[in-house]
Amino acid sequence: MTRDGAPGVAARGSTDITSDGQRTRHIPVLLSEVLESLAPTDGELYIDGTFGAGGYTRAILAAANCRVLALDRDITAIESAKPMCEEFADRFQLVLSPFSQLAEVAQDHSAMSVDGVVLDIGISSMQIDQPERGFSFQHDGPLDMRMSADGESAADFLNSAEEETIANVIYTYGEEHKSRSIARAIVRARTITPLSRTLELADVVSRVFHGRKIDGRHPATRTFQALRIYINDELGELAQALSAAEKILKPGGRLVVVSFHSLEDRIVKRFLTQRSGKEQRGSRHLPEQLIKSDAPSFRIINSRPLTPSKGELDLNPRARSARLRAAIRTDAPVHGLDLDDLEVPRPKS
Ligand SMILES: C[S@@+](CC[C@H](N)C(=O)[O-])C[C@H]1O[C@@H](n2cnc3c(N)ncnc32)[C@H](O)[C@@H]1O
């Protein structure tokens, strides 16, 4: 089984499937690079903001006699971690929470000064593999797409939003040039019957492209990506998690972020560029001298992002878009968060 079970859908690791169809294990992406960048050390405390199948957490706990506080917003990830919680009871805690709440969770667990934060952004293979989660356009399931159980589902959104809002979401988060035609087709379809299944939506989008593949991928790839990002506010979550990490990392603490698509990587890059004093231009909202006078709160470890080795890609070709950026916290005060200044994309409303 490949990393996501559906071409073009952004899932991180790959899930091996045995010949009898059982899921065996999830292979985390860029694992050795994550460990090298995080450098786990005995006695230290790390936060894994995207527990998933626990691949990073397990490796961190194995690399040093350290502690890990992990988060995931998906209850199924939490439930499948019970054996691991027992195995590492004295060194590991797992919390059901979106990572935008990182600082609050850290405070609740007396972890306001941590040695490392790792984020592996996106969706897991397990989430894609389960048709009932509604992320895949290759398997029929309810049009859900929520990582956590609450909030608006993709069906709720598509059946109630204005055509222009749908188009803007698909354009902004899918970078889809046919967003207006797709939104029109969705609105036309829902006036006959409300959309409720993933394959219905995939079919509506596919017809806009007359069934043609786009760059070798299913024509609904970008639309599904856009809806998933919107429904889970993935980019807003990321920006808030980065800012929370800035608050809770101690001087010398490490921030390691693995992203999968360019919208995510741009935010991480911009965040670290701004906070490491490398930004050349002034902010759109603050006078240039104010930005320049902010002391760098991070020092970037690698000027270029790390990418998977050939060996990793041979094992897991869909890791090809993964990018790792890492930085070390300085002792400068936090810069605070301005979503506009970070240029977090927002659909026009
Ligand atoms: C790519 S997987 C992580 C895989 C993990 N590194 C491993 O080795 O098993 C991403 C996980 O992050 C979770 N996630 C995504 N966005 C989140 C958010 N905003 N807050 C908390 N968890 C999130 C997903 O539910 C998913 O389980």
Side-chain angles (χ1 to χ4, degrees):
M1 182 68 191
T2 51
R3 87 193 304 237
D4 58 31
V9 177
R12 305 238 57 90
S14 83
T15 310
D16 286 356
I17 303 282
T18 58
S19 53
D20 61 356
Q22 295 299 304
R23 190 180 301 137
T24 52
R25 68 199 167 102
H26 175 94
I27 304 172
V29 168
L30 286 168
L31 181 59
S32 54
E33 291 82 353
V34 164
L35 286 179
E36 207 173 304
S37 305
L38 201 62
T41 304
D42 288 355
E44 297 200 334
L45 172 61
Y46 300 92
I47 296 198
D48 178 351
T50 50
F51 178 77
Y56 288 180
T57 289
R58 180 174 283 282
I60 296 165
L61 289 167
N65 187 13
C66 59
R67 287 180 298 135
V68 174
L69 173 61
L71 282 67
D72 204 294
R73 74 194 315 193
D74 186 344
I75 185 72
T76 62
I78 306 288
E79 283 170 355
S80 13
K82 279 194 184 132
M84 221 175 126
C85 292
E86 282 162 23
E87 185 181 346
F88 295 102
D90 52 339
R91 297 199 283 136
F92 169 53
Q93 279 181 293
L94 181 58
V95 180
L96 176 66
S97 169
F99 52 55
S100 52
Q101 302 294 307
L102 206 65
E104 290 77 0
V105 172
Q107 188 159 32
D108 290 348
H109 290 78
S110 311
M112 281 306 281
S113 175
V114 304
D115 299 281
V117 172
V118 63
L119 298 170
D120 183 14
I121 305 302
I123 193 168
S124 71
S125 298
M126 293 84 68
Q127 288 165 328
I128 278 289
D129 282 346
Q130 296 166 342
E132 66 272 20
R133 303 300 301 270
F135 290 110
S136 170
F137 44 76
Q138 294 214 316
H139 307 285
D140 195 32
L143 199 44
D144 192 318
M145 299 198 193
R146 289 171 298 178
M147 290 188 203
S148 55
D150 43 49
E152 187 182 42
S153 70
D156 294 338
F157 171 65
L158 291 176
N159 289 319
S160 62
E162 301 277 341
E163 181 179 320
E164 195 181 347
T165 307
I166 297 174
N168 289 342
V169 164
I170 296 174
Y171 181 75
T172 307
Y173 294 142
E175 300 178 293
E176 170 60 76
H177 292 292
K178 281 197 178 284
S179 56
R180 304 230 163 269
S181 313
I182 294 170
R184 202 173 314 125
I186 288 170
V187 169
R188 209 181 302 128
R190 81 183 186 196
T191 55
I192 302 164
T193 331
L195 290 165
S196 64
R197 310 290 300 175
T198 51
L199 289 191
E200 279 171 5
L201 175 63
D203 187 48
V204 168
V205 178
S206 195
R207 274 187 274 133
V208 171
F209 292 92
H210 308 289
R212 278 194 311 273
K213 287 193 167 180
I214 306 300
D215 299 332
R217 302 192 302 178
H218 190 291
T221 304
R222 289 169 185 268
T223 300
F224 271 65
Q225 171 189 300
L227 290 170
R228 199 200 81 204
I229 291 176
Y230 173 74
I231 291 299
N232 297 288
D233 186 21
E234 291 183 30
L235 303 183
E237 280 282 317
L238 172 58
Q240 293 190 53
L242 296 172
S243 168
E246 185 185 37
K247 285 186 198 142
I248 63 174
L249 279 166
K250 60 169 67 154
R254 286 154 181 255
L255 173 63
V256 179
V257 187
V258 177
S259 61
F260 184 61
H261 59 71
S262 55
L263 293 175
E264 296 165 349
D265 185 53
R266 250 177 261 156
I267 293 172
V268 181
K269 181 179 177 188
R270 187 171 298 282
F271 176 87
L272 291 178
T273 306
Q274 285 178 355
R275 276 148 182 85
S276 59
K278 300 256 185 299
E279 181 151 80
Q280 297 301 311
R281 60 174 188 80
S283 156
R284 279 191 289 163
H285 303 282
L286 294 170
E288 194 159 345
Q289 65 278 20
L290 189 56
I291 283 289
K292 284 192 171 152
S293 68
D294 281 345
S297 56
F298 280 100
R299 180 170 62 77
I300 293 174
I301 299 179
N302 305 296
S303 54
R304 298 180 69 81
L306 302 182
T307 54
S309 65
K310 181 172 178 316
E312 177 167 2
L313 289 177
D314 286 345
L315 280 174
N316 181 15
R318 289 199 182 152
R320 67 182 177 275
S321 310
R323 299 269 174 281
L324 183 156
R325 294 188 188 270
I328 298 179
R329 184 75 170 88
T330 68
D331 56 6
V334 298
H335 287 209
L337 178 64
D338 178 341
L339 293 183
D340 289 333
D341 203 38
L342 263 189
E343 295 182 19
V344 175
R346 296 268 165 212
K348 279 196 213 126
S349 46

